[in-house]
Amino acid sequence: MKDKKGVAKVGNYWQQEIETASREQITKWQNERLVNTVKRVYENVDLYRRRMDEAGVKVEDIRSVDDIVKLPFTCKQDLRDTYPYGLFAVDLKDVVRLHASSGTTGKQIVVGYTQNDLDIWDDICARQLVAIGATKADKIHVSYGYGLFTGGLGLHGGSQRLGAVTIPVSSGNTARQITIMKDFGSTVLCCTPSYAMYLGESLEQQGLTADDISLKYGIFGAEPWTEEMRAHIEKKLGIKAFDIYGLTEIMGPGVAYECQEQSGMHVNEDHFIIEIINPETGEPVPDGEKGEIVFSCISKEAFPLLRYRTRDIGVITHQKCACGRTFVRMSKPMGRTDDMLIIRGVNVFPSQIETVLLQKGYSPNYQIIVDRVNNLDTLEVQVEMDENNFSDTVTGISKMENALQEAIKSLLGVAAKVKLVSPKSIERSIGKAVRIIDKRKI
């Protein structure tokens, strides 16, 4: 970090009374809001009423957060089955905005927001911005996609709520992005981590360095990324990089956020209840134990999901953060139950492979190709070389591939073929990077 850019002190809050509330107060809010939400969805959402009736759960059985385990789970298929408005808890005349998932697998999901929902969303994104050190004096460069994707408008709303200068660049047109960043004096960058890496590469290609831009901070989410990738982004852009967590189904970005301590993401517990469950049994697991992340919305009006199984894997802790915030903290997602690859009986997460690549000094631009040949799973990892490790000799490339293969096998316990490819040969994404190509017919 460069002195000229500066870093704000830890301890800044957007809504200090809420963000530093006692556990007793947080529990009181959650108890009241959960009870009210359960009553509303039972009265207004057919799916929840039917599921609760089938489970023998009555509205009056839910008196506190402790009773949440009595409620049935919700999953993404439920949202597809009730497409487009079947899970809305308000009349459409009270809905002021719709968002939707990308719909890359199956039918897309549609979510709605009342004006009060949007006001809450703006506040929780403003909490993130203030937590990293942003103020009204900053220029927030939003390179998440706008439109039905929640990323762009989510951080846009938080920036405006903060009162900062909001630059709604959206995604794509990278050369123009860098020109705007340089000329407008952008100080906070919001985008996916893979696009942040691409911006760093493009900056270098234009003969510029981090000293030629004014960025201080970055807020990156919407896809998995490792600590090694964080370090690469920080070096290339000369910033401090922060994680943000959210998903369309629950709200969008801002469900949880990092502060300057960067020791986990604070869950906005006044609006969401987080659980960690055993993905096989559905039973709760204790703090510090890895499991599937489950969220319940307790203040949303239009689309209040209860016990939504995110498929993200993580852990939580209730220990107070050094920043003074008292909200429970969740880890960076450690993989997903539904993008976990099973290769010859071994569980493989893409993030594990990324960790090996970055530790060995390779580019985070890679693709994992899975196939099945003669009833045997094959795993190939294509990795871009950069100018630092590029070799024009067959022998040199072969040695590097073999070394990477050994490192991956050592970590994963399964053999992978590594293919080093020329710089810039893997297609770049302005949104979520496509990491896995699974050719198996399973």
Side-chain angles (χ1 to χ4, degrees):
M1 257 28 66
K2 293 171 280 295
D3 292 340
K4 73 180 182 66
K5 294 187 177 182
V7 175
K9 294 181 179 179
V10 173
N12 296 329
Y13 310 101
W14 175 243
Q15 296 167 311
Q16 182 170 356
E17 187 176 342
I18 296 173
E19 295 172 68
T20 61
S22 67
R23 177 50 47 185
E24 291 75 19
Q25 179 60 64
I26 293 171
T27 302
K28 182 179 179 182
W29 286 328
Q30 291 190 333
N31 289 344
E32 293 173 352
R33 294 172 185 179
L34 176 63
V35 168
N36 290 335
T37 299
V38 169
K39 184 175 185 294
R40 283 197 304 110
V41 299
Y42 187 85
E43 293 173 349
N44 297 295
V45 181
D46 289 342
L47 177 73
Y48 281 116
R49 181 165 53 254
R50 185 173 69 252
R51 290 271 177 85
M52 288 175 64
D53 287 346
E54 290 171 352
V57 180
K58 299 178 180 178
V59 171
E60 52 267 27
D61 292 335
I62 309 301
R63 299 184 178 90
S64 71
V65 176
D66 294 337
D67 295 319
I68 200 169
V69 294
K70 300 176 183 177
L71 295 169
F73 290 111
T74 311
C75 65
K76 180 164 284 190
Q77 190 59 46
D78 293 326
L79 279 66
R80 293 180 178 136
D81 291 344
T82 55
Y83 174 90
Y85 305 131
L87 287 180
F88 282 33
V90 298
D91 192 281
L92 275 178
K93 66 180 176 59
D94 297 317
V95 172
V96 298
R97 189 193 296 171
L98 297 176
H99 279 283
S101 70
S102 58
T104 52
T105 56
K107 190 174 290 186
Q108 68 177 350
I109 58 168
V110 179
V111 300
Y113 303 78
T114 66
Q115 185 57 55
N116 187 59
D117 293 337
L118 294 180
D119 290 341
I120 289 172
W121 194 10
D122 289 349
D123 274 327
I124 62 178
C125 285
R127 289 178 189 176
Q128 159 87 95
L129 288 164
V130 173
I132 71 170
T135 70
K136 289 181 65 174
D138 278 294
K139 301 178 183 70
I140 316 295
H141 187 108
V142 184
S143 292
Y144 284 111
Y146 280 65
L148 290 177
F149 176 60
T150 56
L153 286 168
L155 270 301
H156 180 109
S159 175
Q160 289 196 161
R161 179 60 60 93
L162 174 60
V165 175
T166 307
I167 309 174
V169 190
S170 193
S171 54
N173 202 337
T174 302
R176 180 171 175 264
Q177 295 260 1
I178 292 173
T179 298
I180 290 172
M181 200 179 295
K182 186 171 180 289
D183 293 350
F184 291 14
S186 308
T187 56
V188 179
L189 173 64
C190 306
C191 63
T192 60
S194 56
Y195 193 52
M197 280 295 301
Y198 186 34
L199 285 168
E201 291 176 355
S202 300
L203 193 71
E204 292 176 353
Q205 289 172 2
Q206 292 188 22
L208 302 172
T209 71
D211 288 322
D212 294 307
I213 57 177
S214 302
L215 289 182
K216 298 184 294 184
Y217 312 114
I219 295 175
F220 308 122
E223 64 185 8
W225 56 307
T226 60
E227 289 302 315
E228 291 83 4
M229 192 168 182
R230 188 204 298 265
H232 276 248
I233 291 171
E234 290 184 337
K235 182 178 180 181
K236 284 183 175 292
L237 293 176
I239 62 175
K240 193 169 183 181
F242 296 88
D243 210 345
I244 189 170
Y245 179 86
L247 55 167
T248 300
E249 301 94 310
I250 301 302
M251 178 67 88
V255 173
Y257 60 93
E258 273 191 326
C259 66
Q260 287 198 357
E261 292 296 311
Q262 295 182 314
S263 58
M265 289 179 281
H266 298 273
V267 177
N268 285 300
E269 289 189 276
D270 52 330
H271 301 297
F272 312 104
I273 295 172
I274 186 172
E275 302 173 75
I276 305 293
I277 64 167
N278 180 315
E280 300 297 327
T281 67
E283 293 298 313
V285 302
D287 278 20
E289 188 171 320
K290 189 185 299 185
E292 182 180 346
I293 300 169
V294 174
F295 273 108
S296 295
C297 306
I298 55 173
S299 63
K300 281 183 73 177
E301 294 175 340
F303 197 78
L305 291 186
L306 292 175
R307 302 201 82 195
Y308 182 72
R309 297 187 63 159
T310 68
R311 300 299 179 185
D312 285 326
I313 299 295
V315 300
I316 60 172
T317 177
H318 282 83
Q319 293 181 355
K320 186 177 179 180
C321 183
C323 74
R325 289 173 178 81
T326 50
F327 290 154
V328 64
R329 283 172 288 154
M330 61 174 277
S331 67
K332 181 188 289 288
M334 302 170 175
R336 288 179 58 83
T337 62
D338 58 356
D339 76 357
M340 178 181 71
L341 296 168
I342 301 178
I343 309 297
R344 299 190 289 277
V346 178
N347 296 341
V348 176
F349 286 103
S351 57
Q352 294 174 303
I353 293 175
E354 180 175 298
T355 294
V356 172
L357 299 181
L358 291 173
Q359 285 177 344
K360 296 295 184 181
Y362 287 88
S363 165
N365 295 306
Y366 67 95
Q367 282 189 328
I368 301 167
I369 301 171
V370 186
D371 207 344
R372 183 162 287 173
V373 179
N374 297 325
N375 296 316
L376 182 67
D377 289 341
T378 63
L379 178 65
E380 179 178 298
V381 184
Q382 295 188 358
V383 186
E384 273 190 4
M385 293 180 285
D386 58 29
E387 302 303 329
N388 295 325
N389 56 31
F390 180 73
S391 172
D392 57 0
T393 68
V394 173
T395 301
I397 292 174
S398 180
K399 285 182 178 179
M400 291 189 292
E401 288 174 340
N402 289 336
L404 267 181
Q405 285 173 180
E406 287 300 315
I408 290 173
K409 184 176 181 180
S410 177
L411 177 65
L412 301 182
V414 64
K417 178 184 178 181
V418 171
K419 183 178 181 181
L420 293 176
V421 298
S422 58
K424 312 298 185 294
S425 62
I426 292 177
E427 184 177 356
R428 296 299 192 268
S429 171
I430 60 176
K432 296 185 181 183
V434 178
R435 297 299 193 198
I436 302 170
I437 298 175
D438 196 338
K439 297 181 178 180
R440 298 174 295 180
K441 305 299 181 183
I442 55 176

